[in-house]
Every structure is written in structure tokens, then in C-alpha cells.
Amino acid sequence: MPGTLPHNREELSAEILRLKRERNAVILAHNYQVPEVQDIADYVGDSLGLSRTAAKTPADLIVFCGVHFMAETASIISPQKTVLLPDLGAGCSLAATIDADKLRAWKQEHPKAVVVSYVNTTAEVKAESDYACTSGNAVKIVNSIPRDREILFLPDMFLGAYVMEKTGRKMEVWPGECHVHAGITPDVVNQKIKENPDSEFLVHPECGCVTQFLYFSEKGDFNLPLVEIQSTEGMVRHAKQSKSDKFLVATETGILHRMKKENPDKTFLPVKEDAICEYMKTITLEKVYRSLRDMVYEVRVPTQVADKARLSIQRMLEIT
Ligand code: 13P
Ligand code: SF4
């Protein structure tokens, strides 16, 4: 990394705060970011909360500590602002399962369908979509579409299965998955249930185990512990409100930092210790500092694509 770096974490944090003020910047961080990045951020949240915050911030500069599609979304919503991603290597295996050409071909097979795209997609894919959605609002978005309309839902098949179950609607679902969440399989979860029968379970709808939970809860299987299927922000909220004092958390492990910080008297355990998104973890405090110092790396979506993609995001924000 060119240029000298402050000597320790305190100095680094102080420099980040100084540069932030100087540049009228805001630091947004996803719930999966490393603890020291979450701690320096002005706002930490899920995809929906980050989009909303990016839309209303009075700052001129957004340093986005998350992955590329999230920074793109911020730039689409606020094209007059500069959006920086501290490491361009912060991609997403789920977003990579579909591109605009594949979506156009799929749409040709279903010319009358409404396209609902999870935010974990590129700007080009969003530009080909009618609605964006997040894990926090996917059910609401699908419920807002007239029931006689065919729906193409992409790109996560586990979230798609969850939404179909919750809305009672059949949809065409793209067979994509996130490598981190797909690895949280029923056998991994069943073992943890056996070891921790007194815990409440918090499950992200991208997980490979999510359909099992829906099936068992509908059957009324009382041997299962309490189960909540939520977006990352929904999980944080639920952990605070719940009377339980022990939770098993089925998602990327970065979220445990906030849960423990906000609920020091409760116990949080990961369902899978190595459920770690290497893309989210590429962002470090040093890179946040360099990003502010050198104004790197700007994420800007070409106007034509951004104008089309914005419609799908605005439709989502209007409904939720
Ligand atoms: P949330 O919107 O629930 O934070 O999920 C984002 C994500 O990338 C999950 O892997
Ligand atoms: Fe993408 Fe999965 Fe990482 Fe989320 S956890 S950013 S879906 S690769």
C-alpha cells in the first residue's frame, strides 16, 4: 500500500475520522464487515437499511464497506454523490450467478413475466428488472404484484423457495446460491440443534437449511427450538426483543459482533464457525483509511444503466 500508514489502530481511527469530516463523508458498513470497520462506521445494517441510508444522507461522499453490488446500488440511488468501495475485489458469488445476457434470454422465454431481482445482482441485471428486493422485504414485494402475473425471481433459489412458501405463490426461480449460506445445510443445523436444545435459532433466508425449517414449522414439530427466519437486520432486532438468552445464528459470522455488542448479557453462537464471506472480509481499517485519503475506488454506474436500474430500486423503496 503506497504512502505511510498511521502506526496503530487508534491513530488509524483518528485519521479516518479527520478525513471523514474534511471530505464530508459518511461510512456505511454491512453487518458482515470485520468488527473494527463496523465500529468506525456511521451506520451498520442490512442491504435494505444501507440503501435507505444512502438515499437520504446529506454527505457528499459515501465510503461503502460492503460488496460491489451494494456500492453500485448506493451510486444508482444517489448519482450526484461520489461512492467509494475500499477494495474492488469485494464481489459476491451469488450476484455472479446471473448477468444481463442470461436474464434477457430468460425473459424471452417468459415475455409476460414480472422480474423481481434480489439486490445481490449487478446494476445491469437490475436495469433488466421490474422490482429489486432484499431479504428484508422480498415477501412484501412479491405480495404487491397482482396474483395473476407470472414472476421471475432471481438469483437466490433458497430465498425464492422461502418467498414461495410465505406468499403461497408459484414463481420461476433462478438456480443461484451464495456459497456461504448454501453451506449451512440441514445436517450442520441438526447437529447444532442436538447440542443446543435450549437455544433460539436465527436463520437467514439464503441458507441451504431454510426450506427444512419452513417444512417442520408448518408440520408443527414441537421438538424444534424457536426459529426466526430474518434478514441480517431482522436478526439483530429480534435478538434484542426476544426473551431468550441464547441464540444460534445461521448466517455469516460477522453479524455476531453487533449482536454481542448490543446484548452483552446474551449468548450468541454461530451455527457454522467457518461461514465467512471472504468478499466482505477484504475490507480492512487500513483500506478504509486509504480509500478516504486517496479517494479510491470510485464506483459509478453508466447513466443509461443507472436510470433503468433506479426504477426497480425506487419501486422497492416505495413499497417498503
Ligand atoms: P441482508 O440484506 O440480510 O443483510 O443480506 C445481504 C447478504 O449479502 C446476505 O448474504
Ligand atoms: Fe454475496 Fe454470500 Fe457474501 Fe452475501 S455472504 S455478499 S450473498 S457471497
Side-chain angles (χ1 to χ4, degrees), residues 142 146-153 160 163-165 167-173:
V142 168
R147 289 193 81 85
D148 58 347
R149 297 297 304 273
E150 184 185 16
I151 296 177
L152 302 185
F153 187 92
V163 173
M164 283 206 282
E165 196 71 34
T167 59
R169 280 181 86 150
K170 178 144 177 32
M171 304 188 296
E172 296 294 323
V173 178

Coordinates of all heavy atoms in Angstrom, one line a residue, residues 142 146-153 160 163-165 167-173:
V142 N -43.3 -9.3 -3.4 CA -44.0 -10.3 -4.2 C -45.5 -10.2 -4.0 O -46.3 -10.3 -4.9 CB -43.4 -11.7 -4.0 CG1 -44.3 -12.8 -4.6 CG2 -42.0 -11.8 -4.6
P146 N -49.9 -8.2 -8.7 CA -51.2 -9.0 -8.9 C -50.9 -10.5 -9.0 O -50.0 -10.9 -9.7 CB -51.7 -8.3 -10.2 CG -51.1 -7.0 -10.2 CD -49.7 -7.1 -9.5
R147 N -51.8 -11.2 -8.4 CA -51.6 -12.7 -8.3 C -51.7 -13.4 -9.6 O -51.2 -14.5 -9.7 CB -52.6 -13.3 -7.3 CG -52.3 -12.9 -5.8 CD -53.1 -13.8 -4.8 NE -52.5 -15.1 -4.6 CZ -51.5 -15.3 -3.7 NH1 -51.0 -14.3 -3.0 NH2 -51.1 -16.5 -3.5
D148 N -52.3 -12.7 -10.6 CA -52.4 -13.4 -11.9 C -51.1 -13.2 -12.8 O -51.1 -13.7 -13.9 CB -53.7 -13.0 -12.7 CG -53.7 -11.5 -12.9 OD1 -52.8 -10.7 -12.3 OD2 -54.5 -11.0 -13.8
R149 N -50.2 -12.5 -12.3 CA -48.9 -12.2 -13.0 C -47.9 -13.3 -12.8 O -47.7 -13.7 -11.6 CB -48.3 -10.9 -12.7 CG -49.2 -9.7 -13.1 CD -49.5 -9.5 -14.5 NE -48.3 -9.5 -15.4 CZ -47.6 -8.3 -15.7 NH1 -48.1 -7.2 -15.2 NH2 -46.6 -8.4 -16.4
E150 N -47.3 -13.8 -13.8 CA -46.1 -14.7 -13.7 C -44.9 -13.9 -13.1 O -44.7 -12.8 -13.5 CB -45.8 -15.3 -15.0 CG -44.7 -16.4 -15.0 CD -44.3 -16.8 -16.4 OE1 -44.6 -16.2 -17.4 OE2 -43.7 -17.9 -16.4
I151 N -44.1 -14.6 -12.3 CA -43.0 -13.9 -11.7 C -41.7 -14.7 -11.9 O -41.6 -15.9 -11.7 CB -43.2 -13.7 -10.1 CG1 -44.3 -12.7 -9.9 CG2 -41.9 -13.1 -9.5 CD1 -44.7 -12.5 -8.4
L152 N -40.7 -13.9 -12.4 CA -39.3 -14.5 -12.5 C -38.6 -13.9 -11.3 O -38.5 -12.7 -11.1 CB -38.6 -14.1 -13.7 CG -39.2 -14.4 -15.1 CD1 -38.2 -14.0 -16.2 CD2 -39.5 -15.9 -15.2
F153 N -38.1 -14.8 -10.4 CA -37.4 -14.4 -9.2 C -36.0 -14.8 -9.3 O -35.7 -16.0 -9.5 CB -38.1 -15.0 -7.9 CG -37.5 -14.5 -6.6 CD1 -38.1 -13.4 -6.0 CD2 -36.4 -15.1 -6.0 CE1 -37.6 -12.9 -4.8 CE2 -35.9 -14.6 -4.8 CZ -36.5 -13.5 -4.2
G160 N -35.8 -17.7 -2.9 CA -37.0 -17.9 -3.7 C -38.0 -19.0 -3.1 O -39.2 -18.7 -3.1
V163 N -39.8 -17.4 -0.2 CA -40.8 -16.4 -0.6 C -42.0 -17.2 -1.2 O -43.2 -16.8 -0.9 CB -40.2 -15.4 -1.7 CG1 -41.3 -14.5 -2.2 CG2 -39.2 -14.6 -1.0
M164 N -41.8 -18.2 -1.9 CA -42.9 -19.0 -2.5 C -43.8 -19.6 -1.3 O -45.0 -19.5 -1.3 CB -42.4 -20.1 -3.4 CG -42.0 -19.7 -4.7 SD -42.1 -20.9 -6.0 CE -40.7 -21.9 -5.6
E165 N -43.1 -20.1 -0.3 CA -43.8 -20.7 0.8 C -44.6 -19.6 1.6 O -45.7 -19.9 2.0 CB -42.7 -21.3 1.7 CG -43.1 -22.3 2.7 CD -43.6 -23.6 2.2 OE1 -43.0 -24.1 1.1 OE2 -44.5 -24.2 2.7
T167 N -45.7 -16.7 0.5 CA -46.7 -16.0 -0.2 C -47.7 -16.9 -0.8 O -48.8 -16.5 -1.2 CB -46.1 -15.2 -1.4 OG1 -45.4 -16.1 -2.3 CG2 -45.1 -14.1 -0.9
G168 N -47.4 -18.2 -0.8 CA -48.3 -19.2 -1.4 C -48.4 -19.0 -2.9 O -49.4 -19.4 -3.5
R169 N -47.3 -18.5 -3.5 CA -47.3 -18.3 -5.0 C -46.3 -19.1 -5.6 O -45.2 -19.2 -5.1 CB -47.0 -16.8 -5.2 CG -48.2 -15.9 -5.1 CD -47.8 -14.5 -5.4 NE -47.9 -14.3 -6.8 CZ -48.2 -13.1 -7.3 NH1 -48.3 -12.1 -6.5 NH2 -48.3 -12.9 -8.6
K170 N -46.6 -19.5 -6.8 CA -45.6 -20.2 -7.6 C -44.8 -19.2 -8.4 O -45.3 -18.2 -8.9 CB -46.3 -21.2 -8.5 CG -45.3 -22.0 -9.4 CD -45.7 -23.4 -9.6 CE -44.7 -24.0 -10.6 NZ -43.3 -23.5 -10.5
M171 N -43.5 -19.3 -8.4 CA -42.6 -18.4 -9.2 C -41.6 -19.2 -10.0 O -41.3 -20.4 -9.6 CB -41.9 -17.4 -8.3 CG -42.7 -16.6 -7.3 SD -41.7 -15.4 -6.4 CE -40.6 -16.3 -5.5
E172 N -41.1 -18.6 -11.0 CA -39.9 -19.2 -11.7 C -38.7 -18.7 -10.9 O -38.6 -17.5 -10.8 CB -39.9 -18.8 -13.2 CG -41.0 -19.2 -14.0 CD -41.0 -20.7 -14.2 OE1 -40.0 -21.4 -14.3 OE2 -42.2 -21.3 -14.2
V173 N -37.9 -19.6 -10.4 CA -36.8 -19.2 -9.6 C -35.4 -19.5 -10.2 O -35.2 -20.7 -10.7 CB -36.9 -19.8 -8.2 CG1 -35.7 -19.4 -7.3 CG2 -38.2 -19.3 -7.5

